[in-house]
Amino acid sequence: QREWLPRLASDTLGSFCLSEAGSGSDAFALRCAARRDGDDYLLSGEKLWISNSAEAGVFLVMANAAPEKGHRGITCFVVPREAAGLRVGPKEDKLGIRASSTCPVLLDDVRVPASAVLGEVGAGYRYAIEILNEGRVGIGAQMVGLAQGALDRTLPYLHERRQFGTPLIEFQAVAHEVADLTAELHAARLLVYDAARRQETGTPLVKEAAMAKLIASRVAEKTASKCIELLGGVGFTKEYGVEKLYRDAKIGAIYEGTSNIQLNTIAKLVSAQYK
């Protein structure tokens, strides 16, 4: 904390390295290894889909220090960008969220001291779960903001644009679309607020965070899509920026746990209440 927190709070971006080619939704099937070498560890493996990796100055790398223990060997290591053997690959050419870099991170016998272990050896899987659970609240908020942005860019046009001598918003079919989108967005926002409240108060939030992310990502994708339709031809261009929001919305159903993973989590926790 003394070494990294001041930097993370000022001039250094961090990056979370969990996913690999064979460990996406099955996150704990990771193959990245941490081999003990005297007082140090040697990290070897390849991480994929790592957000902000092109700009990051420090990486939290999940690697297995005891493969024979399965996921209970997974350990979190703090690795500076300048560490010998660490290389960031080229940026992915993505559909959306293009302002955020996504790159592979390759580790070729990266030597780190034992002091680079974050927390306890073998507790990395627990840290990863906690990070993902709380991160889903943030993704929910991101998707709510995206949907609100799409509406904010669309509604003025619906008042200005006239067809058959009437503003588009005064056609009942258009007004009903806007009403539906607004109601669904409000419901998603309240789910996110509830999950965030639980996070702030230390109340269990696994189910609530999963519901917030699931619903908010659906609402964002639907809202951005419908707004393009309401804008008509100009919505299909870059002029109003809603096409960007439409592309950005898709990631909500994928990262920090896919929508299917959220459904599994919600169903498992609901079922447990009735056993």
Side-chain angles (χ1 to χ4, degrees):
Q1 290 182 353
R2 283 192 299 270
E3 180 179 0
W4 287 107
L5 280 184
R7 293 177 60 180
L8 288 168
S10 56
D11 60 2
T12 302
L13 186 65
S15 191
F16 178 60
C17 302
L18 176 63
S19 296
E20 298 179 8
S23 59
S25 292
D26 185 9
F28 300 142
L30 61 84
R31 302 292 298 275
C32 186
R35 187 174 77 256
R36 198 69 195 247
D37 185 45
D39 294 332
D40 300 334
Y41 285 92
L42 295 175
L43 308 182
S44 295
E46 181 176 352
K47 297 294 185 178
L48 294 180
W49 315 114
I50 306 306
S51 298
N52 300 323
S53 47
E55 299 81 22
V58 62
F59 298 87
L60 294 183
V61 177
M62 296 293 175
N64 203 319
E68 69 279 4
K69 296 181 180 179
H71 70 276
R72 296 187 183 279
I74 296 173
T75 303
C76 185
F77 294 87
V78 181
V79 184
R81 186 184 189 90
E82 60 272 17
L86 184 149
R87 183 168 63 87
V88 177
K91 293 181 183 180
E92 300 290 349
D93 188 11
K94 299 178 298 185
L95 170 72
I97 58 167
R98 296 177 65 88
S100 168
S101 64
T102 302
C103 313
V105 175
L106 299 92
L107 303 114
D108 183 10
D109 279 346
V110 176
R111 182 177 294 275
V112 294
S115 60
V117 172
L118 182 63
E120 302 173 9
V121 173
Y125 76 96
R126 190 172 78 243
Y127 304 150
I129 290 173
E130 292 171 356
I131 290 168
L132 290 172
N133 285 335
E134 295 191 356
R136 287 165 185 161
V137 182
I139 302 303
Q142 176 192 15
M143 294 295 113
V144 165
L146 188 154
Q148 185 65 62
L151 283 172
D152 289 346
R153 292 172 183 226
T154 302
L155 264 296
Y157 180 85
L158 298 182
H159 285 82
E160 296 165 5
R161 173 73 166 166
R162 303 174 74 90
Q163 288 291 276
F164 308 103
T166 303
L168 294 183
I169 193 64
E170 293 183 14
F171 289 98
Q172 188 180 62
V174 173
H176 284 186
E177 288 265 31
V178 171
D180 272 340
L181 296 175
T182 302
E184 291 172 9
L185 174 55
H186 188 61
R189 180 178 281 112
L190 293 179
L191 280 170
V192 171
Y193 282 167
D194 178 54
R197 175 183 59 82
R198 287 173 171 271
Q199 184 175 353
E200 285 189 344
T201 58
T203 308
L205 55 69
V206 176
K207 181 180 67 177
E208 289 74 15
M211 291 191 296
K213 181 183 182 296
L214 174 71
I215 300 303
S217 63
R218 287 177 176 174
V219 167
E221 189 173 342
K222 177 182 176 180
T223 301
S225 177
K226 287 293 184 180
C227 283
I228 289 175
E229 294 176 20
L230 290 170
L231 287 167
V234 295
F236 204 67
T237 71
K238 296 182 182 296
E239 182 178 354
Y240 282 77
V242 179
E243 61 83 30
K244 175 189 181 297
L245 298 178
Y246 181 54
R247 290 185 287 104
D248 288 348
K250 193 62 203 177
I251 194 62
I254 299 172
Y255 70 172
E256 301 266 357
T258 66
S259 289
N260 282 339
I261 290 295
Q262 307 315 309
L263 289 168
N264 285 349
T265 299
I266 296 163
K268 179 181 177 181
L269 293 171
V270 171
S271 176
Q273 292 178 266
Y274 292 88
K275 285 184 178 178

